[in-house]
């Protein structure tokens, strides 16, 4: 365990797991982070039943620690399975169940949701998986509320991500929950990856890359981010983009998978997070600077998107709150 680390992340790999998801877990939770100035980080290890032949036989992992590592994990990540229709080995399912019983945070990447469902841990819960496997998942686990077209979903202490890239989105979301927005932004910059795609965004969009360069939303998004303290409206965004509001809505749905108003609200809440993390404790000032108007409006939107009140967020991520993330075990 690296010095100063206390939150133990164990990633279970099984035969056929994808190297990409393995790399996501390693990159986000396993690498040292000197850019964070010595902030305590995660302790990360892999776990498996034995040697693991990766997907398509690209390589075989040997010397992987046993499933006993899961017994000491605060967060357990279950990687993908190419043979989702096959029930995983019972020792693996038992290890995951025991982790859940003692309060560990459970995370699945891609078709790893099948493993959690086979273990009976998703019954009556909301979950997602890769859109290609949504039909099979529904047919196999009708007792699970599948949300088929989102990047990731959370239900209690269980988090499920859709396809490979969504594993990065969910991983950064977990870092944001544990360490705050500023730290998550630092990690995303090192990854050269979008700092925050909300879990409710669609898994894929109609037109990810604009066919005509000058129709991209990039300019209007940059313009809006610099003016969040102003009373921006959808009409103002449309005016800046020189299109009708209906056209703007279509472009937002096509390029970002969300609406202009939802995007604008998410940007305002993210700015509020950043202000609170940097030490601004006056909610009226935070509300004004992020464009949410009043403390009551700030509280409502903040809690809806983060699950915390602004005050609770300040207690957890405000200046001087550099303690390592609390253990979730027990």
């Amino acid at each position: 365990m690296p010095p100063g680390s206390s939150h133990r992340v164990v990633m279970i790999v099984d035969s056929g797991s994808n190297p990409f998801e393995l790399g996501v877990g390693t990159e986000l939770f396993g690498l040292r982070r000197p850019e964070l100035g010595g902030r305590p980080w995660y302790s990360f290890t892999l776990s498996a039943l034995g040697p693991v032949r990766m997907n398509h036989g690209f390589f075989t992992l040997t010397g992987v620690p046993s499933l006993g590592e899961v017994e000491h994990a605060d967060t357990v990540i279950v990687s993908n399975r190419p043979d989702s229709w096959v029930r995983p080995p019972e020792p693996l399912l038992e290890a995951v169940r025991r982790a859940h019983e003692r309060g560990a945070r459970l995370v699945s990447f891609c078709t790893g949701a099948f493993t959690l469902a086979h273990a009976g841990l998703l019954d009556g819960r909301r979950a997602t998986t890769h859109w290609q496997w949504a039909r099979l998942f529904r047919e196999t686990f009708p007792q699970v509320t599948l949300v088929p077209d989102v990047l990731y979903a959370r239900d209690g202490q269980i988090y499920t991500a859709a396809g490979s890239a969504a594993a990065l989105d969910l991983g950064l979301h977990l870092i944001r929950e544990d360490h705050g927005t500023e730290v998550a932004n630092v990690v995303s910059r090192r990854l050269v990856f979008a700092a925050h795609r909300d879990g409710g965004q669609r898994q894929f969009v109609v037109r990810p890359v604009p066919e005509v360069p000058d129709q991209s939303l990039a300019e209007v998004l940059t313009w809006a981010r610099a003016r969040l303290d102003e009373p921006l409206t959808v009409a103002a965004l449309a005016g800046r983009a020189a299109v009708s509001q209906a056209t703007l809505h279509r472009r937002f749905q096509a390029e970002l998978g969300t609406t202009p108003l939802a995007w604008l609200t998410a940007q305002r809440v993210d700015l509020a997070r950043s202000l609170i993390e940097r030490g601004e404790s006056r909610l009226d000032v935070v509300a004004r600077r992020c464009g949410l108007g009043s403390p009551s409006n700030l509280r409502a939107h903040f809690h809806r998107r983060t699950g915390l009140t602004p005050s609770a967020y300040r207690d957890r991520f405000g200046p001087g709150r550099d303690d390592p993330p609390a253990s979730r075990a027990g």
Side-chain angles (χ1 to χ4, degrees):
M1 179 183 294
S5 296
S6 69
H7 190 109
R8 298 174 295 277
V9 178
V10 174
M11 185 170 188
I12 299 175
V13 288
D14 200 2
S15 292
S17 292
N18 280 338
F20 185 90
E21 280 87 345
L22 176 66
V24 168
T26 303
E27 175 75 28
L28 290 176
F29 305 108
L31 297 187
R32 295 183 182 276
R33 296 286 173 190
E35 66 270 27
L36 297 180
R39 183 188 185 95
W41 201 237
Y42 302 93
S43 168
F44 177 82
T45 188
L46 302 179
S47 180
L49 282 167
V52 177
R53 186 173 185 270
M54 301 299 288
N55 197 9
H56 287 87
F58 288 131
F59 56 87
T60 299
L61 294 177
T62 59
V64 181
S66 72
L67 289 179
E69 294 292 329
V70 177
E71 303 295 333
H72 310 290
D74 302 308
T75 293
V76 178
I77 302 175
V78 181
S79 191
N80 71 296
R81 301 180 53 84
D83 53 350
S84 305
W85 55 92
V86 177
R87 185 179 177 85
E90 195 59 32
L92 192 158
L93 297 179
E94 272 300 315
V96 173
R97 291 188 193 107
R98 287 195 299 271
H100 178 257
E101 288 171 1
R102 61 180 173 76
R105 179 169 64 184
L106 300 184
V107 179
S108 71
F109 289 167
C110 196
T111 51
F114 281 79
T115 298
L116 297 182
H118 276 297
L121 301 180
L122 296 182
D123 292 0
R125 295 180 180 270
R126 297 173 68 255
T128 192
T129 190
H130 194 287
W131 61 270
Q132 283 187 310
W133 300 98
R135 180 176 177 179
L136 175 63
F137 190 93
R138 274 203 189 96
E139 293 173 349
T140 308
F141 307 108
Q143 65 275 29
V144 180
T145 302
L146 182 68
V147 189
D149 194 22
V150 297
L151 295 177
Y152 54 86
R154 175 188 181 181
D155 195 315
Q157 287 294 91
I158 299 181
Y159 300 69
T160 51
S164 299
L168 276 168
D169 292 298
L170 177 53
L172 285 169
H173 175 76
L174 296 176
I175 291 172
R176 189 177 302 108
E177 282 195 351
D178 294 339
H179 293 275
T181 301
E182 292 296 318
V183 171
N185 288 344
V186 170
V187 175
S188 69
R189 282 195 295 271
R190 178 166 172 177
L191 290 170
V192 195
F193 188 73
H196 183 207
R197 291 197 298 170
D198 187 75
Q201 288 186 212
R202 294 197 312 233
Q203 290 188 26
F204 59 91
V205 295
V206 175
R207 185 167 53 91
V209 180
E211 296 172 0
V212 181
D214 62 7
Q215 289 183 344
S216 169
L217 289 170
E219 191 277 335
V220 72
L221 299 184
T222 300
W223 177 83
R225 287 192 187 100
R227 293 165 175 79
L228 293 175
D229 59 333
E230 300 177 12
L232 292 176
T233 62
V234 175
L237 295 179
R240 180 68 185 185
V243 297
S244 69
Q245 293 186 49
T247 297
L248 187 74
H249 271 275
R250 286 195 297 270
R251 288 189 183 173
F252 263 79
Q253 289 290 356
E255 295 184 30
L256 301 178
T258 189
T259 66
L261 184 59
W263 177 86
L264 193 57
T265 301
Q267 299 303 305
R268 295 189 191 283
V269 172
D270 281 349
L271 177 55
R273 284 174 163 180
S274 181
L275 292 171
I276 292 171
E277 289 175 18
R278 292 200 295 264
E280 181 54 72
S281 60
R282 297 165 296 177
L283 294 190
D284 59 329
V285 174
V286 174
R288 184 176 68 252
R289 289 182 61 184
C290 71
L292 288 174
S294 66
S296 61
N297 199 36
L298 169 66
R299 290 189 191 94
H301 286 292
F302 201 96
H303 187 270
R304 187 175 301 123
R305 296 191 65 85
T306 69
L308 297 172
T309 65
S311 298
Y313 193 86
R314 180 178 63 241
D315 291 342
R316 185 170 177 181
F317 298 119
R321 303 293 177 174
D322 289 335
D323 300 329
S327 170
R328 298 175 184 270

